[in-house]
Amino acid sequence: MGGPHRLSTSSLTLLSLIIFYSLSANARFTPPENYLIDCGSPENTILDDGRTFKSDPQSVSFLSTDENIFATSNSAPPLYKTARIFNTESVYKFLVFQPGRHFLRLYFYPLHHPSYNLTTAVFTVKTDGGLVLLHDFSATNNSNSHFKEYLINVPSDYFSLLFSPLKKSFAFVNAIEFVSAPNELVPDSATTVSPAGVFNGVSGYDFQVLHRVNVGGPTVSPKNDTLSRTWVSDSTHDYMIFPKGDKVVCVDPNTINYRDGGATPLIAPHQVYSSAASMADSGVSNPNFNLTWEMKVDSGFNYLIRLHFCDIVSTSLNTLYFNVYVNGFIGFSGLDLSSLASDLATAYYKDFVINASAVSNGLIRVQVGPSGIETSSPNAILNGLEIMKMRNSAGSLDGLFSSGGNINSRGGSHTTTIAEATGVAIGAIMLLALVVSFIRRKNKARGWDEGGNSFTSWFLPLNASYCSSLLSSKSKNKNGYSSVFPSKIGLGRSFTFNELRDATKNFDESEVIGVGGFGKVYIGEIEKGTKLAIKRGNPRSSQGINEFQTEIQLLSKLRHRHLVSLIGYCDENTEMILVYEFMANGPLRDHLYGSALPSLTWRQRLEISIGAARGLHYLHTGGSSQGIIHRDVKTTNILLDENLVAKVSDFGLSKTGPALDQTHVSTAVKGSFGYLDPEYFRRQQLTEKSDVYSFGVVLFEILCARPALDPALPREQVNLAEWAMQKQRKGVIEMIVDPKIVKSISSESLIKYVEAAEKCLAEYGVDRPSMGDVLWNLEFALQLQDASLQLDPPEEEDDTKTKIVDSEKSKKDDNSDVSVVISDDSGVVIGSPLFSKIQDFEGR
């Protein structure tokens, strides 16, 4: 295999540049959310990369203010020609179809305005999640534009961006980008350099991108990047400390390879990996210099540093070995790219986290230099680098200030360093041990045994924050009750036993809405008619305890619009009680068959399917670093609120997904017949694709309005999944569609919906789509249905049908956590317009 063509700095020809810029853009990521706003502009702005920024009139629906104050300048660059000005706190609010990682890019340029001097504006920018992006920001230099880029997690179905002027000041912004990013862009772990080790939980952080550099090559514009990023050239920003020791090497970007499990074009485009800085020939056998880049950063923060490598200088494998240093600490010793990437000209990247204590001088220094391993020609290379500031302990990316404007009490440092975090963790463990010891002594004094009858003892595996939530004193109002839902942290509100006894009429049997191995679920009412679902565990029965405890641990950590939300608990005497908000419309199954409830329209069924898919997608991708597998997806575990918004419930059987180096979780088979993944049943190997199979059954159940298993039917029709697939293969799926909706479904929408369900039911998990793909197809099916209605309005619907719930109303409470009642189907069947009493039992 011949070596790549080498070019020195002086021999970079015009032809090379033409090749660089004439290449078609890499396969681009299609973001579910793509909000581009040219603030203050009276018309759309189309950039040279093809992106269209919407005009201010087209984007005003996202904005909370009625003020219309603009600044304009025809001489400014695109996206900086206009600005919107705010005299009071104003909010941009965006609908989020796929929670997860997002790019937020903000443009500021102090244009001239006859009444407002934009260089004097002082304001704070933060998110509805409490993340401070800019604190008391001011664009003081009217000759410079300010571009701020963030990579943040968005956990809910809405994202709000707040502009808060300082008193007697104002705020402004020229343009806003809020665009989905691939979640895999930020892996969960990185290497630490001081001290050497591993930093886990990286994916849970928010970042500000401070530097993104194409080393050795020209600037890469958004037009040539897979995610519309800009990679600046290191030659134009004086990052290189010893430029005389640098020799630029470039190859045709088409020769760059990507391997499975490594870098992808989403991590960095071909143009970044096709150029590099290498060591100039010093004429000696043991060169004693390193290639060095220095970048200014803010002191007091931890930083994620991503280095990009691609061996485009070697002519054979295992001939290039070099060291990598970050702020003087060794990152790699004897790095051999051909072994890590398995070939030459193959993209590779490495993430490092550097402690705030190692960035005290406000500089990050990256160096590469020859190792002590003997080679024919000592060399070292670097292709690209990124520097990202990590959110600090105050929830800020700009100083010590929290979202409330308060200074973080840590005083001397902007963030908790890695070493400090270790000390805090050790202290928490010691404190927890003392708490546990105290509880046990207290229980023993009360005459309770050590077998776990105390509800508190069930929580000992949880982390310290949850334990402290349990042990905190109960706040009282004048009536002796705790205030309604004061906390969203840990297990929420602490209820007294008397409160819950009164709410359920002394746990009257007439208030029972569900029964399982753990005990019973009651409907309760407290304080001005607030309805709750109250799950009371039976301390004298061990049946269901594991499932009950699993649900506690999961719901203490999960927050999503389409997942059940824990409201509070009771921890008195031997009681084990969890409290959830009541769900007015009960389980989905009751709205499909087996009750007298009005039939759902096709559009309502699509929206419910999409909501449930969003909840499961969050579980698989955002619920934890390894993902969570529900393991019991079915229509009785999808609950509907008063607006028919779907929420996934019952996490008693849920499992944490496989680790990064595993493909499955080996576990006993549990679930519900009719929904069980046949591959999981045969091999006892659980993956998230088992949930996908179950959801495919749910989709056909929604479409056909019949149970997953119905022994009363002829043999070939008993199993819904098999029956539906048989009809689909014959091309007559419409024959088994619910007659109440069959005439209202557009053929295009039906085809896309059934296609999604069919793929979910593939025999082997590897052939099934992810929940994200399923969600995309369902949203597309809804779009096709709406498009069909615009072209061919439907006939007047029967008065008995439920009217379609206004989509804005169904999403009005975007800032609140999910509020639902639990449906524990470990022997629970919940019915009636609210929740009826038990009619029969369904085994797992």
Side-chain angles (χ1 to χ4, degrees):
M1 171 178 174
H5 180 60
R6 305 183 187 186
L7 295 174
S8 66
T9 306
S10 59
S11 62
L12 274 174
T13 63
L14 178 62
L15 179 60
S16 300
L17 294 176
I18 292 175
I19 292 175
F20 241 88
Y21 287 105
S22 64
L23 287 169
S24 60
N26 296 292
R28 302 180 84 87
F29 170 71
T30 302
E33 286 85 54
N34 191 28
Y35 297 98
L36 308 176
I37 303 175
D38 192 356
C39 303
S41 176
E43 56 188 17
N44 290 350
T45 300
I46 302 176
L47 302 185
D48 60 359
D49 60 11
R51 291 181 297 161
T52 299
F53 280 69
K54 298 296 184 182
S55 66
D56 202 283
Q58 288 182 323
S59 309
V60 72
S61 61
F62 303 123
L63 189 58
S64 65
T65 183
D66 292 326
E67 292 181 311
N68 290 295
I69 309 171
F70 308 116
T72 60
S73 171
N74 293 327
S75 61
L79 300 184
Y80 294 103
K81 292 180 181 294
T82 59
R84 178 179 269 274
I85 301 172
F86 312 107
N87 280 311
T88 59
E89 183 175 274
S90 302
V91 181
Y92 278 95
K93 190 172 186 180
F94 304 105
L95 178 64
V96 177
F97 294 100
Q98 185 170 311
R101 187 71 63 179
H102 285 68
F103 282 112
L104 176 67
R105 299 175 178 126
L106 305 177
Y107 299 75
F108 302 99
Y109 183 61
L111 301 171
H112 174 73
H113 188 280
S115 303
Y116 293 86
N117 182 358
L118 269 61
T119 62
T120 65
V122 181
F123 55 96
T124 292
V125 182
K126 57 189 176 182
T127 72
D128 55 346
L131 176 65
V132 177
L133 305 175
L134 296 168
H135 179 77
D136 287 353
F137 169 76
S138 180
T140 54
N141 191 335
N142 59 8
S143 63
N144 290 336
S145 60
H146 300 264
F147 174 75
K148 305 292 183 180
E149 183 176 23
Y150 304 91
L151 192 54
I152 59 180
N153 283 310
V154 179
S156 64
D157 288 349
Y158 283 90
F159 173 76
S160 296
L161 187 64
L162 291 75
F163 291 81
S164 304
L166 192 66
K167 188 176 182 180
K168 297 183 179 180
S169 188
F170 54 93
F172 75 94
V173 63
N174 299 75
I176 298 172
E177 294 182 51
F178 178 63
V179 183
S180 299
N183 284 328
E184 61 267 25
L185 199 61
V186 181
D188 193 56
S189 62
T191 298
T192 59
V193 294
S194 174
V198 177
F199 188 100
N200 292 315
V202 179
S203 60
Y205 277 80
D206 302 303
F207 303 91
Q208 180 181 359
V209 182
L210 296 186
H211 302 280
R212 184 182 291 120
V213 185
N214 182 24
V215 177
T219 295
V220 179
S221 69
K223 182 178 181 179
N224 293 306
D225 181 76
T226 48
L227 299 175
S228 300
R229 296 165 295 195
T230 297
W231 301 74
V232 300
S233 171
D234 63 335
S235 63
T236 60
H237 283 71
D238 297 326
Y239 292 132
M240 172 66 74
I241 300 303
F242 182 50
K244 292 184 178 180
D246 168 31
K247 180 178 72 174
V248 171
V249 179
C250 294
V251 299
D252 185 340
N254 288 323
T255 64
I256 302 302
N257 303 309
Y258 294 91
R259 66 178 180 88
D260 293 340
T264 69
L266 296 178
I267 297 296
H270 292 74
Q271 287 89 337
V272 170
Y273 290 115
S274 62
S275 65
S278 66
M279 296 179 66
D281 187 1
S282 62
V284 297
S285 58
N286 293 306
N288 59 358
F289 69 91
N290 295 323
L291 298 178
T292 303
W293 294 263
E294 279 189 354
M295 286 136 291
K296 293 182 179 180
V297 296
D298 297 331
S299 300
F301 285 84
N302 295 341
Y303 284 87
L304 177 67
I305 302 171
R306 175 166 293 176
L307 304 182
H308 299 271
F309 303 97
C310 189
D311 189 354
I312 57 175
V313 301
S314 299
T315 57
S316 60
L317 296 174
N318 307 116
T319 58
L320 176 64
Y321 299 88
F322 59 95
N323 295 340
V324 178
Y325 308 89
V326 178
N327 273 26
F329 300 101
I330 188 72
F332 266 123
S333 179
L335 173 61
D336 177 13
L337 288 176
S338 57
S339 293
L340 291 172
S342 303
D343 202 352
L344 299 179
T346 301
Y348 176 81
Y349 75 98
K350 181 68 175 179
D351 288 342
F352 297 95
V353 168
I354 187 167
N355 198 313
S357 61
V359 196
S360 57
N361 60 351
L363 287 175
I364 286 181
R365 181 184 298 107
V366 174
Q367 296 172 292
V368 295
S371 70
I373 300 175
E374 290 188 9
T375 59
S376 58
S377 55
N379 201 354
I381 65 169
L382 182 65
N383 300 72
L385 63 88
E386 297 173 85
I387 308 292
M388 290 177 269
K389 184 198 299 184
M390 301 172 68
R391 180 200 68 234
N392 66 15
S393 57
S396 174
L397 284 165
D398 190 13
L400 294 164
F401 293 87
S402 66
S403 60
N406 298 318
I407 297 179
N408 188 19
S409 60
R410 294 196 58 81
S413 173
H414 291 245
T415 184
T416 302
T417 65
I418 298 169
E420 290 171 327
T422 303
V424 171
I426 294 173
I429 292 171
M430 296 176 64
L431 176 61
L432 180 58
L434 292 173
V435 170
V436 171
S437 176
F438 171 78
I439 292 172
R440 286 177 174 169
R441 290 198 303 269
K442 184 178 178 183
N443 290 349
K444 192 171 183 180
R446 292 181 176 180
W448 297 354
D449 60 32
E450 292 289 332
N453 282 344
S454 163
F455 184 44
T456 304
S457 68
W458 288 29
F459 292 87
L460 297 186
L462 298 180
N463 65 36
S465 65
Y466 301 142
C467 292
S468 64
S469 174
L470 280 171
L471 299 171
S472 61
S473 60
K474 302 174 177 63
S475 59
K476 309 284 185 178
N477 60 22
K478 63 182 180 180
N479 298 319
Y481 295 141
S482 308
S483 59
V484 177
F485 314 151
S487 173
K488 297 290 185 181
I489 301 173
L491 296 177
R493 172 183 173 179
S494 172
F495 289 88
T496 66
F497 179 74
N498 288 337
E499 282 182 274
L500 300 183
R501 182 177 59 189
D502 293 344
T504 58
K505 301 176 183 177
N506 198 22
F507 296 99
D508 192 289
E509 290 298 310
S510 65
E511 305 301 310
V512 174
I513 57 175
V515 178
F518 60 87
K520 298 177 181 179
V521 178
Y522 300 82
I523 183 174
E525 187 172 314
I526 63 168
E527 302 172 16
K528 299 181 181 179
T530 302
K531 291 183 178 180
L532 302 171
I534 300 167
K535 179 189 281 189
R536 187 186 190 191
N538 182 353
R540 291 174 293 278
S541 172
S542 61
Q543 184 182 2
I545 285 181
N546 289 337
E547 296 179 15
F548 199 84
Q549 192 170 3
T550 297
E551 189 152 334
I552 292 169
Q553 292 172 334
L554 284 178
L555 291 181
S556 300
K557 305 170 186 176
L558 299 176
R559 286 292 182 269
H560 191 272
R561 175 180 171 79
H562 295 288
L563 295 184
V564 63
S565 183
L566 184 64
I567 297 300
Y569 64 95
C570 175
D571 179 24
E572 287 187 16
N573 300 325
T574 59
E575 293 295 336
M576 304 174 291
I577 304 176
L578 293 180
V579 182
Y580 309 82
E581 187 173 348
F582 181 70
M583 291 289 287
N585 277 304
L588 170 60
R589 184 168 69 178
D590 287 357
H591 296 264
L592 299 174
Y593 54 85
S595 75
L597 294 175
S599 176
L600 297 169
T601 65
W602 175 234
R603 195 179 197 283
Q604 286 174 321
R605 299 186 199 202
L606 282 172
E607 289 180 333
I608 290 168
S609 301
I610 291 169
R614 285 177 180 165
L616 290 171
H617 179 56
Y618 170 75
L619 278 182
H620 291 175
T621 61
S624 76
S625 59
Q626 293 176 225
I628 295 170
I629 304 170
H630 186 280
R631 210 160 49 141
D632 200 18
V633 177
K634 53 187 176 182
T635 50
T636 50
N637 286 341
I638 298 172
L639 305 180
L640 306 177
D641 71 5
E642 68 276 8
N643 294 317
L644 298 181
V645 174
K647 329 272 185 174
V648 179
S649 69
D650 190 0
F651 302 93
L653 295 183
S654 298
K655 282 276 189 182
T656 301
L660 294 177
D661 58 347
Q662 297 175 327
T663 59
H664 62 271
V665 177
S666 296
T667 181
V669 175
K670 290 188 178 181
S672 299
F673 288 114
Y675 301 89
L676 271 177
D677 169 15
E679 185 178 44
Y680 168 42
F681 185 79
R682 290 193 307 267
R683 305 176 64 185
Q684 298 187 24
Q685 294 180 349
L686 180 69
T687 72
E688 71 277 0
K689 297 300 182 69
S690 300
D691 281 353
V692 173
Y693 182 92
S694 302
F695 191 69
V697 179
V698 168
L699 291 179
F700 276 124
E701 200 172 345
I702 291 171
L703 179 67
C704 304
R706 56 146 288 187
L709 289 178
D710 191 346
L713 294 173
R715 184 173 181 178
E716 70 275 9
Q717 300 180 27
V718 169
N719 187 296
L720 173 60
E722 295 177 359
W723 180 237
M725 292 295 284
Q726 180 182 338
K727 291 298 182 183
Q728 170 64 2
R729 284 191 291 267
K730 292 181 178 180
V732 289
I733 190 68
E734 64 276 0
M735 291 180 59
I736 62 172
V737 174
D738 183 2
K740 296 178 181 178
I741 61 170
V742 66
K743 292 183 179 180
S744 65
I745 307 177
S746 74
S747 58
E748 296 84 359
S749 179
L750 179 62
I751 290 171
K752 180 56 64 175
Y753 182 91
V754 173
E755 176 187 310
E758 181 183 17
K759 289 179 178 178
C760 290
L761 296 178
E763 182 177 359
Y764 300 104
V766 293
D767 297 325
R768 298 172 200 152
S770 67
M771 280 309 306
D773 292 332
V774 177
L775 174 59
W776 187 92
N777 278 279
L778 293 175
E779 289 173 335
F780 191 17
L782 178 59
Q783 293 173 7
L784 291 171
Q785 180 68 16
D786 288 345
S788 173
L789 292 179
Q790 292 176 7
L791 294 173
D792 186 16
E795 297 179 1
E796 195 73 26
E797 291 194 9
D798 192 283
D799 290 339
T800 61
K801 290 189 176 181
T802 306
K803 67 179 181 178
I804 297 176
V805 179
D806 184 83
S807 60
E808 289 301 319
K809 180 182 177 184
S810 69
K811 297 172 183 176
K812 62 184 178 181
D813 193 13
D814 58 280
N815 288 325
S816 65
D817 291 325
V818 184
S819 299
V820 292
V821 69
I822 188 65
S823 164
D824 187 302
D825 260 353
S826 49
V828 180
V829 178
I830 300 177
S832 92
L834 297 180
F835 283 97
S836 69
K837 301 177 180 61
I838 294 298
Q839 302 295 328
D840 54 13
F841 287 88
E842 179 180 309
R844 289 194 187 273

